[in-house]
Amino acid sequence: MHVEKLFVGGLGYCGSRIAAAIHNAYPSAIICGTVRSKERRDALMDGASRPPWLSGSVHVLDLDDNYSGLSSEATADLQSSTIVVQTVAPIADFDRDPLLALHGPVLESSEALQYVAYLSSTGVYGDYGGDWLTEDSELRCVDAKSKARVVAEQEWCKLEPADDQNNNDNDSNAGPRVDCFRCGGIYGPGRGPLFSSLSSLNEALAAETDELPQQTPAVMKYVNRILVDDICGAVLAAVEGDRPRCGGRAYNLVDDDPAPRKQVVAEARRLLSPSPEEVQGQSSVSSSDAATKNTRRRISRATGNKRCDNSRLKEDYGWKLKAPTYREGLALLLENSVLKL
């Protein structure tokens, strides 16, 4: 694949890190994308604070006022991009993906587009009572947000040809590959239990214990997670890899060890507790992100209880995890406590 231009829908927590990873692998690629406000755009485009990976333009995707979407300049960037990464969730007024709802014909008519990565959620599976599942498992979600993601996945996948018949791997007009990455709970710099005070962790542990005083494998609420660096690694592995066209393909983007939240919080507390400072309720992580409050919400019951298998992603693209479990992930974050894009 010739990585000439990347368009990221949503240059936020994941999108900006994916952009940085693509830039590091393909320094000559033009990287552009969208944000939700003019203030955010101006902050990214400012010469003094402009990130090194941002070689193209930042555009405002208007989803608040008149739903006008992208400007003509932004639409031209979208149409000429070889890779599109979409991180923006479906919006309520459409119950559809905003790029497809507002600019579907642009994507459908693009002759440059070779690859699409859509960041979805494991919430599409709904509840499995803690059982293991694969990408072929039934989608049982009942909440509106997850149902909208199912529709978005289906619409993105329509961009990929149904099979490889008469397609040549070197033919840029063969149609794009489309991968829907069903992400678990995302953690990383500034996000997750490691960036909470000990007192907050203790409160969280107490709340979990009160809710499930006698946790057994039969009643454990499993949470599928993924380190943000491993999301970047998965997208990069897919960009660098290939597979037969099949009308789009879903991948569980999770680590190897779905674990109850209580276990992860307890590990974070163990990592933080040796320092005397933490005994007084302060986090030991010396990071520009450490001051960021942990805004991660409890997983909604509507998203269900399940354990997602990630074998397909490893088999198709040779994906290797930096953090096979939350233990390595938390340790890595603590070791590299000052992380910048």
Side-chain angles (χ1 to χ4, degrees):
M1 181 188 302
H2 301 292
V3 183
E4 299 176 359
K5 192 171 189 177
L6 167 68
F7 189 99
V8 180
L11 288 168
Y13 189 81
C14 288
S16 58
R17 287 169 167 81
I18 292 171
I22 297 294
H23 168 77
N24 290 337
Y26 302 95
S28 63
I30 299 172
I31 296 179
C32 52
T34 71
V35 293
R36 290 291 299 272
S37 69
K38 294 179 180 178
E39 292 76 16
R40 172 63 175 161
R41 178 196 61 191
D42 294 343
L44 280 174
M45 294 291 287
D46 179 71
S49 58
R50 186 181 181 118
W53 49 262
L54 184 56
S55 53
S57 299
V58 177
H59 308 284
V60 176
L61 178 59
D62 177 15
L63 301 178
D64 295 316
D65 297 327
N66 300 314
Y67 296 104
S68 57
L70 298 171
S71 65
S72 57
E73 178 188 358
T75 302
D77 270 343
L78 178 62
Q79 189 163 36
S80 61
S81 291
T82 50
I83 299 174
V84 169
V85 175
Q86 171 64 318
T87 73
V88 181
I91 53 178
D93 285 8
F94 292 122
D95 283 333
R96 292 183 60 197
D97 180 276
L99 279 182
L100 289 173
L102 298 170
H103 304 287
V106 173
L107 290 159
E108 293 166 3
S109 64
S110 172
E111 296 182 359
L113 187 60
Q114 298 181 44
Y115 180 70
V116 172
Y118 173 61
L119 266 57
S120 184
S121 165
T122 56
V124 298
Y125 292 111
D127 184 46
Y128 271 77
D131 288 344
W132 283 95
L133 56 81
T134 71
E135 292 86 351
D136 294 324
S137 299
E138 179 186 4
L139 304 183
R140 301 176 179 175
C141 58
V142 295
D143 61 298
K145 183 177 180 180
S146 295
K147 286 184 175 180
R149 284 194 181 276
V150 173
V151 173
E153 286 186 12
Q154 293 169 344
E155 292 192 335
W156 277 110
C157 286
K158 290 178 182 178
L159 295 178
E160 178 178 318
D163 56 57
D164 261 349
Q165 185 176 4
N166 298 323
N167 286 345
N168 186 301
D169 287 343
N170 296 319
D171 183 2
S172 61
N173 295 319
R177 274 184 297 127
V178 178
D179 290 331
C180 297
F181 292 105
R182 293 169 178 169
C183 299
I186 301 168
Y187 71 103
R191 180 182 289 192
L194 197 65
F195 297 88
S196 298
S197 68
L198 276 178
S199 58
S200 296
L201 295 178
N202 289 333
E203 290 173 4
L205 282 172
E208 292 286 335
T209 302
D210 290 342
E211 185 175 339
L212 292 174
Q214 295 181 339
Q215 285 197 348
T216 66
V219 298
M220 280 185 177
K221 173 62 165 65
Y222 293 98
V223 179
N224 300 273
R225 332 183 143 66
I226 189 68
L227 180 67
V228 68
D229 285 357
D230 282 325
I231 294 178
C232 299
V235 173
L236 190 57
V239 167
E240 295 174 342
D242 200 7
R243 58 165 176 76
R245 302 294 193 274
C246 58
R249 196 153 167 84
Y251 293 96
N252 291 333
L253 188 37
V254 298
D255 68 21
D256 296 338
D257 185 18
R261 183 170 180 264
K262 181 178 180 179
Q263 293 181 9
V264 181
V265 173
E267 176 67 6
R269 185 177 66 172
R270 186 190 70 80
L271 290 172
L272 292 175
S273 61
S275 169
E277 296 177 54
E278 276 106 43
V279 177
Q280 300 174 8
Q282 300 298 319
S283 171
S284 66
V285 179
S286 175
S287 169
S288 58
D289 290 319
T292 304
K293 292 183 178 179
N294 176 20
T295 58
R296 184 184 181 281
R297 297 178 179 177
R298 295 282 303 277
I299 300 296
S300 169
R301 290 185 181 276
T303 64
N305 184 14
K306 54 193 167 279
R307 287 177 283 180
C308 300
D309 181 84
N310 60 18
S311 299
R312 176 184 287 184
L313 184 52
K314 296 174 180 176
E315 293 168 358
D316 281 9
Y317 291 129
W319 177 55
K320 295 181 179 180
L321 286 149
K322 280 188 176 181
T325 77
Y326 66 87
R327 300 171 189 86
E328 292 89 351
L330 294 179
L332 184 64
L333 288 172
L334 189 62
E335 180 181 357
N336 302 287
S337 56
V338 181
L339 300 177
K340 296 182 180 180
L341 294 178

